[in-house]
Amino acid sequence: MSASFASALGAARDAAAGQHYPQGTLYVVATPIGNTADITLRALHVLQLADTLACEDTRHTHGLLRVYGIDKSSAQLLALHQHNEAQASQTVIALLQQGQRVAYVSDAGTPGVSDPGARLAAAVRAAGLRVVPLPGASSVTAALSVAGAVASGSADGGFVFAGFLPVKNAERASAVQRLATEPRCVVLLEAPHRIHELAAALAVLGERPVTLAREITKQFEDITTQPAQALTAWLDGAPQRARGEFVVLLHPVAVPEDDSASLRVLQLLLPELPLKTAVRLAADITGAPRNALYETALALRKSAESGDKYE
């Protein structure tokens, strides 16, 4: 055990031991996404208390427990990952029905978001058993908290979590085109060996701001906001920029609320002209930013296709 966590275990017992932790319950436990200090006192207590730990990777979890000074035998660790989640969920249900406390952890962050755990939680709840969340580290919320990309107090506030886009080029390009019409912030995830392909696909969004957050909470954490069309050049600027897991945020882009004139011009032109022509003319007539008008035009076109009017 790292000596720095010896006092944390004592603090975990002091802070959390007096709370109620029923048997026959699945505890979904968030673990650090890089910095081992990002563990909650409640998580440390439940990891000690659990009869069985279901893990995305038992070797990874065993090493993490060792850092914290938590001793679990190999028999207490159960592998539960994307390839065996359905089958292993039934094993977890059987253990819960025997009255065990079972904690589930993925390799990093909050389970069930982009990691395994969603099918497990659904199966346990369907069996009439209790699932308790232990919140903590999340790369998604960590990136959102510093990017300034989530609008509040408007109809287009909030964000959309899209996760990993398709691997194949054509499918990825289609997904980007669909997301281009989403007025809210869009959250994507990407692996280092595919980040260049994603950057190339996002280039069609032009000047739309995109935040790349990599190695979040780690020593070489790097968070930058660039125009979508400049992402490839930024990645090529230094070899280390393409290393590590990425959270990618597509910032919302909209015509300013007080620019009603440009919006009205765009609404009049769209039914009569091709989209790009309507955007170019609206920008020339009103002086509004062409990229902002383009995003608005995509949203208006999508709304019209669903049966709504340009109003």
Side-chain angles (χ1 to χ4, degrees):
M1 174 181 63
S2 169
S4 59
F5 287 107
S7 59
L9 289 182
R13 286 190 295 270
D14 293 340
Q19 301 172 3
H20 183 49
Y21 300 94
Q23 295 178 311
T25 298
L26 173 66
Y27 297 88
V28 180
V29 182
T31 54
I33 57 177
N35 190 319
T36 54
D38 292 335
I39 187 78
T40 70
L41 296 178
R42 191 162 165 239
L44 287 174
H45 181 70
V46 168
L47 291 175
Q48 294 178 86
L49 186 66
D51 302 296
T52 297
L53 292 183
C55 322
E56 184 179 4
D57 185 328
T58 57
R59 294 168 299 180
H60 177 88
T61 299
H62 201 274
L64 186 65
L65 294 175
R66 190 161 49 245
V67 169
Y68 297 132
I70 298 174
D71 185 24
K72 296 288 182 183
S73 68
S74 297
Q76 290 178 285
L77 302 185
L78 170 68
L80 191 151
H81 44 73
Q82 62 176 335
H83 303 296
N84 76 340
E85 190 169 358
Q87 179 182 357
S89 293
Q90 297 307 308
T91 301
V92 169
I93 289 171
L95 294 172
L96 295 173
Q97 290 171 336
Q98 295 169 19
Q100 285 200 21
R101 298 181 182 92
V102 179
Y104 178 69
V105 296
S106 60
D107 285 350
T110 302
V113 179
S114 63
D115 295 336
R119 294 177 68 183
L120 170 63
V124 170
R125 291 175 63 86
L129 298 163
R130 187 175 178 185
V131 182
V132 172
L134 271 68
S138 166
S139 63
V140 171
T141 54
L144 285 169
S145 71
V146 297
V150 179
S152 60
S154 71
D156 294 334
F159 66 92
V160 175
F161 178 71
F164 290 92
L165 294 189
V167 175
K168 295 182 178 179
N169 290 337
E171 294 177 2
R172 186 193 298 114
S174 296
V176 170
Q177 288 298 328
R178 290 194 298 271
L179 293 174
T181 65
E182 172 56 58
R184 293 167 291 181
C185 173
V186 178
V187 182
L188 305 174
L189 302 177
E190 194 52 272
H193 63 281
R194 288 197 301 267
I195 190 61
H196 276 94
E197 287 80 358
L198 178 61
L202 294 177
V204 298
L205 301 180
E207 293 290 333
R208 183 169 182 173
V210 177
T211 293
L212 297 182
R214 69 177 191 88
E215 298 287 81
I216 298 177
T217 77
K218 299 179 182 178
Q219 181 178 359
F220 299 107
E221 176 182 273
D222 195 359
I223 300 172
T224 184
T225 300
Q226 304 285 332
Q229 62 191 16
L231 292 176
T232 295
W234 183 83
L235 288 168
D236 290 340
Q240 71 271 16
R241 290 179 178 175
R243 297 171 185 165
E245 300 298 322
F246 285 82
V247 179
V248 181
L249 307 180
L250 312 185
H251 290 232
V253 177
V255 175
E257 293 182 5
D258 60 352
D259 196 359
S260 57
S262 62
L263 179 60
R264 184 57 181 163
V265 170
L266 190 61
Q267 289 173 324
L268 291 171
L269 293 175
L270 274 174
E272 310 298 333
L273 298 170
L275 186 143
K276 289 185 177 180
T277 303
V279 168
R280 177 174 57 80
L281 289 175
D284 290 343
I285 293 169
T286 66
R290 185 174 298 187
N291 287 303
L293 286 173
Y294 182 75
E295 296 293 336
T296 301
L298 289 173
L300 289 171
R301 178 66 56 85
K302 182 179 180 181
S303 178
E305 290 172 353
S306 68
D308 297 332
K309 297 180 179 180
Y310 289 129
E311 294 178 350

